[in-house]
Amino acid sequence: MIMNALSISLGGGVLAATYLWKPIRWVRVRGFWSSLYWTIRSWLWNYPITANYAVWDTGDPNDPEVSERDTRRLLRMWRFLRPFFSSRGYHPYVPKDTANIDSNLVPSTAKSSGQHSFPFASCLYKTEEDAEYFFYSPFVWPARDGTGRDVIIKAVSGSNPTKELRALRLLNSDTLRDDPRNHTIPVLDYLEFNGQVFAVMPRWNVAIWADFATVGEVVRYGQAFLEATAFLHEHNIAHGDTILQNMVMDVMVPRPKEFGVLFAGVRGPERKYAFIDFETATLPVPSSGSSSPEANPSYSPAPEFAIASKREVSRLASALEVHLRCVEDIIPDLGTLLNSMKDYDSPHQPSAAAALSQYEELCSFLSTDDMHREVKMLRWDHGVITYRKSPPLYISDC
């Protein structure tokens, strides 16, 4: 009995000493037992993630030491969360080379053997090597769901809702999601971990990661993003960062072995395009008595919306002209429209809706033969034209 009492006393002393050395903080996850498991796991890992969204911030990327330190810390955070995502049915990719912090990420589960339907991307790659993902953003990690479809998990908010979380919830509300002009990435799921919020979205390719082989492919691409921007502005939303990296399409395409060559034949009329990444969005002001604009998304523009929307039209034109100007020989006045859109300081700069209307009018004269004509140029870059040196490389021929 004395030994038992002594053991209990020592055990209690060890627990007390342990708590004083590293206090235990309760980690909130859905359900008591899950919270208990993650509280213990967090304590053992020395609490790599908190409810503060700033935990995802990084230092100066130009400082090698700071960059390496932050990369290691972020990789550890994603590794720590791996069982959490798996328990929710999403199996994160893993580093191809665990010894290399710059390693590409590869799938950890088999891909689906069937064809995917919207909102999932059509997978045109044949080997898992083509699914590799470059770890370039601290907020984003690729995964596969339980049926082998590729998704993206993105940290979008901490305990205090960010602009991106509010934008995603608004754009995926019943009011806006069903509008066919809403070309923004669909959200499949929201996951909450101790105050951190993760959005699960289908993994789509960047829109320019495939060749524009015909005039029709260029026209439909321009139409989608002009329409998307007009839709956003109609609802007093400005994306805030309409650059090429934030414009995607619902297909996953392998990259040819030859550097600088892109596959063609993936931009049929069925292809869908979307904006991603709303970290810097301008959102409407909530209506009186409402904590969220979701109840009335067109209620009132934010004070900065007028300037943000003008800037957005200009930046969108700069992004789109890289490929739209490649068909100026077929649509001569397209350059005039793009120039007017870029003229941010002009009182005559068209709104997104006016630019879309003008674009549709310019393209309305195109015949079926025009739409099927092969594009001779690959890209336009500040007046410098890169011409096609060989016929398009169609993926169906490989």
Side-chain angles (χ1 to χ4, degrees):
M1 184 177 294
I2 295 175
M3 291 301 295
N4 287 340
L6 183 59
S7 296
I8 292 172
S9 177
L10 287 173
V14 169
L15 287 174
T18 299
Y19 180 80
L20 291 173
W21 167 59
K22 189 169 64 175
I24 297 174
R25 300 193 296 270
W26 188 251
V27 174
R28 294 179 295 105
V29 185
R30 185 177 61 185
F32 171 78
W33 293 110
S34 290
S35 295
L36 179 61
Y37 167 83
W38 283 100
T39 295
I40 296 172
R41 181 175 171 84
S42 297
W43 184 85
L44 291 172
W45 283 62
N46 198 24
Y47 299 95
I49 185 169
T50 69
N52 190 340
Y53 192 56
V55 74
W56 301 99
D57 289 346
T58 57
D60 183 2
N62 297 315
D63 185 325
E65 289 187 11
V66 171
S67 181
E68 180 177 347
R69 180 200 65 200
D70 286 340
T71 299
R72 291 188 184 280
R73 176 177 60 84
L74 292 163
L75 288 171
R76 186 172 184 269
M77 285 166 53
W78 284 107
R79 190 167 69 251
F80 166 77
L81 289 167
R82 182 179 175 80
F84 169 73
F85 296 128
S86 294
S87 72
R88 298 297 189 268
Y90 303 104
H91 306 286
Y93 283 28
V94 295
K96 187 176 183 179
D97 178 5
T98 55
N100 181 5
I101 64 171
D102 296 320
S103 172
N104 283 355
L105 307 176
V106 295
S108 59
T109 57
K111 76 181 183 74
S112 171
S113 58
Q115 286 299 314
H116 302 164
S117 58
F118 182 83
F120 296 95
S122 298
C123 291
L124 302 183
Y125 60 83
K126 297 178 180 178
T127 68
E128 292 288 57
E129 182 179 357
D130 290 318
E132 288 186 15
Y133 188 92
F134 176 66
F135 179 66
Y136 70 95
S137 169
F139 306 98
V140 174
W141 198 272
R144 277 191 176 148
D145 69 7
T147 61
R149 299 173 299 193
D150 293 281
V151 299
I152 288 293
I153 300 172
K154 183 175 184 182
V156 294
S157 183
S159 54
N160 294 319
T162 61
K163 283 185 177 181
E164 178 152 39
L165 178 60
R166 290 186 287 126
L168 290 175
R169 283 180 171 162
L170 174 57
L171 291 166
N172 287 275
S173 64
D174 293 339
T175 308
L176 301 187
R177 186 73 268 170
D178 292 336
D179 193 311
R181 302 170 300 159
N182 184 356
H183 306 302
T184 60
I185 196 72
V187 174
L188 306 170
D189 201 357
Y190 293 103
L191 307 175
E192 295 189 26
F193 180 90
N194 198 36
Q196 292 286 339
V197 182
F198 299 87
V200 182
M201 298 163 277
R203 181 184 172 187
W204 292 9
N205 268 174
V206 175
I208 60 170
W209 285 3
D211 194 0
F212 291 89
T214 68
V215 172
E217 292 176 359
V218 176
V219 168
R220 288 188 294 268
Y221 160 79
Q223 169 84 22
F225 287 110
L226 282 165
E227 190 172 75
T229 306
F231 166 81
L232 292 173
H233 291 189
E234 178 183 319
H235 293 282
N236 299 317
I237 304 167
H239 178 280
D241 197 17
T242 52
I243 58 176
L244 292 173
Q245 293 93 316
N246 291 336
M247 300 156 73
V248 296
M249 58 181 177
D250 64 339
V251 64
M252 290 180 64
V253 187
R255 297 188 184 184
K257 302 302 180 184
E258 184 180 347
F259 179 77
V261 176
L262 298 173
F263 281 122
V266 302
R267 299 182 184 274
E270 78 286 352
R271 191 87 294 128
K272 296 184 183 299
Y273 296 93
F275 281 122
I276 60 171
D277 293 353
F278 287 82
E279 294 101 327
T280 57
T282 300
L283 302 175
V285 177
S287 57
S288 177
S290 172
S291 61
S292 168
E294 291 178 34
N296 190 351
S298 297
Y299 174 69
S300 179
E304 65 272 23
F305 175 74
I307 294 176
S309 59
K310 283 179 63 67
R311 184 182 298 115
E312 186 142 286
V313 168
S314 178
R315 294 194 73 180
L316 178 66
S318 295
L320 292 178
E321 71 178 345
V322 174
H323 294 95
L324 292 191
R325 286 188 183 272
C326 292
V327 296
E328 275 192 274
D329 56 331
I330 310 298
I331 314 173
D333 292 332
L334 195 51
T336 302
L337 171 60
L338 291 166
N339 287 336
S340 67
M341 290 173 64
K342 290 195 298 180
D343 196 353
Y344 169 81
D345 294 320
S346 171
H348 304 295
Q349 182 200 35
S351 65
L356 172 63
S357 178
Q358 292 177 44
Y359 182 83
E360 291 176 333
E361 184 178 355
L362 291 175
C363 297
S364 66
F365 297 100
L366 295 172
S367 66
T368 302
D369 288 342
D370 288 332
M371 294 288 277
H372 286 94
R373 287 178 63 174
E374 186 177 292
V375 178
K376 299 176 182 177
M377 296 177 242
L378 287 174
R379 60 183 290 121
W380 182 97
D381 188 5
H382 299 286
V384 178
I385 299 170
T386 302
Y387 285 93
R388 192 181 296 281
K389 296 179 180 179
S390 57
L393 178 63
Y394 283 89
I395 195 168
S396 58
D397 296 333
C398 298

